[in-house]
Amino acid sequence: MIVSLEQISLTNSRIRIALKQGDPKTIFDATKLLCKGDSQKANQIIDWFSGIAASCREKKRITLEISLMRMWQMGNLDIKEISEEGEPSFILTITGAEKIKTAPKEKWFEVLLWDEKKQLV
């Protein structure tokens, strides 16, 4: 089953919006769609999200997973697929690509992680 980048982007957007609204049904439905109908993988990625949220609440140090989730929340990355182990693989979104286009390579991580508009305030 070939999935277009537009479908991936739309599904990721649905998940982001549902998370903000606290809509568990839409979160699961969209996550299951992202996982090509595989309920087990959908539950695994939901557990991945929950684990990162718990880690943030515990005020542990920032990990790669926390950084990736933040980039995802900001719309700079999309989850492309979920591995058999339940780990997401990410792709750069159009928004993320636009942000790094003008930044030097050594600043890409920083540019994707932080919202420049909020930094100026």
Side-chain angles (χ1 to χ4, degrees), residues 4-14 16 78 93:
S4 72
L5 290 178
E6 291 83 11
Q7 289 172 311
I8 291 171
S9 180
L10 178 61
T11 304
N12 275 269
S13 292
R14 284 184 59 205
R16 286 184 198 97
D78 276 338
T93 63

Side-chain angles (χ1 to χ4, degrees), residues 5 8-9 12-13 16 20 66-80 89-103 107-119:
L5 290 178
I8 291 171
S9 180
N12 275 269
S13 292
R16 286 184 198 97
K20 288 179 185 175
I66 291 171
S67 298
L68 289 169
M69 186 165 173
R70 177 170 171 80
M71 290 177 200
W72 176 83
Q73 287 173 316
M74 293 176 62
N76 294 329
L77 298 178
D78 276 338
I79 297 171
K80 181 180 179 187
S89 62
F90 295 91
I91 57 173
L92 197 59
T93 63
I94 292 170
T95 302
E98 288 297 319
K99 287 183 176 182
I100 65 169
K101 193 185 284 186
T102 58
K107 294 284 187 180
W108 286 1
F109 190 81
E110 184 179 332
V111 167
L112 294 172
L113 190 60
W114 302 107
D115 184 354
E116 64 210 29
K117 293 175 189 167
K118 291 183 180 178
Q119 287 181 350

